[in-house]
Amino acid sequence: MKNLILLLFITVIINSCTEENSSLTTQQESINDLYDRFPMIKGDFKEIRKVVVDSVSITLLRNKSVEKYDYDEIMVFCKNKKFYSIPFFSNMYFDYWEFQNENQAQLYPKTNSTFNKELENVFKTLNLRDEESIHTTNELFLSVIHSEINLHSKPDIFKNYIYSTERVDRYKVEESDSCLNKTKKIFAKISKNAKNTIRYNQYFLDSSNGRVYEMINTSTQKKPFSFEIKTYRIDCFAYRLEI
């Protein structure tokens, strides 16, 4: 019996040490870990902006060697010298964003993850409290991504406006009429949802990346902070203009 207790004690110590050693304690370590998990992300990245939310920081990195229209980005989250990096892919990777309004097949490698899953990993890895998670999520969309809110009162954002993406080396070019219909449908959904005063979902317009994020409150009494993000692609794949 004593030997069994001793064995269990040693096992707990070993597991604790393993977990502690597996923690990523520098930004570069977390980025290298991201490279291993998402081999489609390559290049030399530079810091675009950094936002600090109480004890949590969020750093946005972009590849130095490419233009904005042909890019993937990285977000690095940090708390108490623990780091976790997630990809901030372009719209080429449908599976990562789980686009609610996308019908065509993905023509780029599968990421085997989603934006929702990666955010959950951030909260768990950094051991964020509910209040920290709420503040971090809000600042992520507003201060890091620079999204717009209160979209139900801004019809001009969606009507007669096309968000173009010039990278179409694999995807077919989209007609402007179909792109306009796509944004109008999303605006109609947002307007309808805004009338629901009991459980209103928050929408964020990320015009730089051609996306709308719908944050759905899934909180319960047992789980006070819980949400799901649904993403809609609003950009229009167009030919690159040569001047």
Side-chain angles (χ1 to χ4, degrees), residues 29 32 37 41 44 114 123 128 138 156 180 183 224:
E29 282 182 3
N32 291 340
R37 292 185 292 122
I41 298 182
D44 185 16
T114 67
F123 301 150
L128 300 188
N138 285 335
D156 291 340
L180 283 174
T183 55

Side-chain angles (χ1 to χ4, degrees):
M1 185 66 179
K2 289 183 179 179
N3 291 337
L4 178 59
I5 294 175
L6 179 61
L7 179 61
L8 290 174
F9 181 71
I10 294 174
T11 302
V12 170
I13 292 177
I14 292 174
N15 288 338
S16 299
C17 292
T18 302
E19 290 179 3
E20 184 176 351
N21 291 335
S22 65
S23 298
L24 304 173
T25 57
T26 69
Q27 176 169 296
Q28 191 57 51
E29 282 182 3
S30 71
I31 293 174
N32 291 340
D33 175 70
L34 180 139
Y35 289 155
D36 291 338
R37 292 185 292 122
F38 301 95
M40 65 282 292
I41 298 182
K42 300 177 182 178
D44 185 16
F45 287 79
K46 63 180 178 180
E47 181 177 319
I48 300 300
R49 69 182 63 95
K50 182 176 182 178
V51 175
V52 178
V53 189
D54 297 328
S55 60
V56 181
S57 68
I58 311 171
T59 304
L60 179 65
L61 306 173
R62 183 177 301 154
N63 198 322
K64 292 180 180 179
S65 61
V66 296
E67 299 295 333
K68 171 66 179 175
Y69 58 72
D70 190 14
Y71 73 99
D72 294 314
E73 295 174 331
I74 294 173
M75 288 181 175
V76 183
F77 295 78
C78 175
K79 179 187 176 184
N80 296 335
K81 297 183 179 180
K82 289 184 65 176
F83 293 80
Y84 192 84
S85 294
I86 71 172
F88 197 60
F89 282 116
S90 62
N91 287 353
M92 306 302 116
Y93 297 93
F94 298 163
D95 66 323
Y96 185 77
W97 294 110
E98 302 177 287
F99 288 129
Q100 302 297 303
N101 59 337
E102 188 59 69
N103 296 320
Q104 60 180 316
Q106 178 168 315
L107 301 180
Y108 281 72
K110 295 290 186 180
T111 64
N112 297 316
S113 189
T114 67
F115 188 49
N116 278 294
K117 289 179 182 178
E118 292 301 313
L119 283 181
E120 288 178 7
N121 289 339
V122 169
F123 301 150
K124 291 178 181 178
T125 302
L126 301 186
N127 195 26
L128 300 188
R129 302 187 305 273
D130 285 348
E131 184 177 349
E132 289 178 316
S133 298
I134 293 171
H135 290 164
T136 299
T137 304
N138 285 335
E139 290 303 314
L140 168 64
F141 284 110
L142 297 177
S143 301
V144 179
I145 303 177
H146 289 170
S147 299
E148 293 187 57
I149 57 175
N150 299 322
L151 304 185
H152 60 281
S153 62
K154 302 176 181 179
D156 291 340
I157 289 178
F158 294 96
K159 293 183 179 180
N160 302 319
Y161 194 91
I162 296 177
Y163 299 87
S164 295
T165 295
E166 297 175 337
R167 181 177 178 178
V168 292
D169 53 333
R170 299 189 188 183
Y171 293 112
K172 65 180 181 180
V173 174
E174 296 174 299
E175 298 295 332
S176 58
D177 287 345
S178 65
C179 294
L180 283 174
N181 288 333
K182 180 166 52 180
T183 55
K184 287 179 179 179
K185 285 181 181 178
I186 294 174
F187 177 72
K189 174 182 174 64
I190 294 172
S191 298
K192 181 179 180 180
N193 186 250
K195 298 176 183 178
N196 185 355
T197 57
I198 298 177
R199 201 176 183 87
Y200 173 67
N201 297 338
Q202 180 66 278
Y203 290 85
F204 300 88
L205 170 64
D206 179 3
S207 57
S208 296
N209 296 298
R211 293 189 286 265
V212 169
Y213 311 99
E214 178 186 7
M215 181 177 289
I216 303 171
N217 182 4
T218 58
S219 301
T220 62
Q221 289 184 343
K222 293 183 178 180
K223 196 173 183 181
F225 177 67
S226 176
F227 67 90
E228 176 189 2
I229 296 174
K230 290 186 177 181
T231 309
Y232 304 84
R233 185 174 72 84
I234 62 170
D235 62 341
C236 193
F237 293 152
Y239 282 119
R240 184 174 300 175
L241 298 178
E242 300 292 344
I243 300 177

